[in-house]
């Protein structure tokens, strides 16, 4: 899947690399679903490829081959461990040690931290030293949806590379050519809900589809009107917990920002009456995001969802 809107960023990165002006810690930032990971992966390949041509990794050399297999010895990654909610200090310490080694295949070593904002305080502090005294020929690529959550000390030592959603027409055109086959009104709705981020729109169309999302929206509105949680919480929601949480987060965000959002499609609005307390809504949004991140764990999703929905109802009724 080619993402035409990141091509200018790749060209700018090539330009900096060619003139030795690419700092050792690029921070690729921007909203979810605009292609940050894609750009980060490209940069890792570009830095480690043994024979890049025309500013592109060749895709054929030993380095490219091992990167594709995920076994390149000079490439290191830090992610949230499966059983955790954040990136712990141990992960960053191990990563720091790896970056100090000498490159074995390529001259360079490249680390990737994603999502960077998931580092806890100790992990961020451990990373700081590496950022202050980068090893020769070592690059550290950070990826973040929410760079504002990174400590200022980390941000100030990184070189920001912002990925923004493409123009609306380009995004729609891309979605038509590369997204799931749906009719054009659905495409437009998905793109609007995704805030113009094309890959996020694809995920919405795939995450149980928009129909599932609209079903959740109706239920949230019914709860706001006083309906009981037992009447809306279905087995499908529990089975599709990850999608459910994602939709809950999205509708909560829309309910919070509804006055700021340009209308045009009533099906996407969240008319829950007078504005509920902003802090309570922000808390619900945060909980839904965490729910999505933890949905693969063994936690009782029916209980967690039930609790969240009860809270939603109570918050909406306070706003009345
Ligand atoms: Zn190559």
């Amino acid at each position: 899947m080619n993402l035409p809107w990141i091509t200018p960023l790749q060209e700018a990165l090539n330009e900096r690399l060619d003139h030795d002006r690419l700092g050792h810690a690029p921070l690729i930032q921007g909203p979810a679903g605009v292609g940050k990971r894609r750009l980060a992966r490209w940069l890792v390949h570009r830095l480690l490829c043994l024979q890049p041509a025309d500013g592109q990794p060749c895709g054929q050399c030993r380095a490219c081959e091992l990167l594709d297999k995920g076994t390149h010895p000079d490439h290191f990654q830090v992610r949230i461990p499966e059983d955790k909610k954040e990136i712990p200090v141990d992960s960053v310490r191990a990563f720091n040690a790896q970056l100090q080694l000498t490159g074995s295949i390529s001259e360079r070593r490249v680390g990737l931290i994603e999502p960077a904002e998931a580092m806890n305080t100790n992990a961020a502090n451990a990373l700081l030293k590496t950022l202050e005294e980068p090893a020769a020929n070592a690059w550290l690529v950070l990826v973040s949806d929410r760079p504002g959550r990174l400590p200022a000390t980390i941000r100030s030592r990184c070189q920001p590379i912002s990925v923004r959603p493409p123009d609306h027409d380009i995004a729609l055109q891309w979605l038509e050519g590369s997204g799931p086959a749906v009719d054009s009104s659905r495409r437009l709705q998905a793109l609007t809900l995704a805030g113009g981020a094309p890959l996020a729109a694809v995920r919405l169309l795939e995450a149980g589809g928009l129909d599932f999302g609209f079903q959740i929206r109706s239920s949230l509105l019914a709860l706001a009107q006083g309906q009981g949680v037992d009447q809306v919480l279905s087995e499908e929601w529990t089975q599709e917990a990850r999608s459910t949480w994602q939709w809950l987060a999205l509708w909560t965000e829309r309910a919070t920002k509804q006055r700021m959002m340009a209308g045009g499609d009533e099906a996407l609005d969240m008319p829950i009456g007078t504005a509920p307390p902003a802090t309570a809504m922000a808390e619900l949004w945060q909980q839904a995001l965490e729910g999505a991140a933890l949905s693969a764990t063994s936690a009782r999703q029916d209980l967690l969802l039930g609790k969240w929905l009860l809270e939603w109802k109570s918050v909406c009724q306070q706003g009345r």
Side-chain angles (χ1 to χ4, degrees), residues 45 48-52 56-65 67:
H45 273 75
L48 290 174
C49 174
L50 301 172
Q51 48 194 33
Q56 294 298 327
C58 73
Q60 289 165 0
C61 69
R62 178 110 180 99
C64 284
E65 194 186 312
L67 278 171

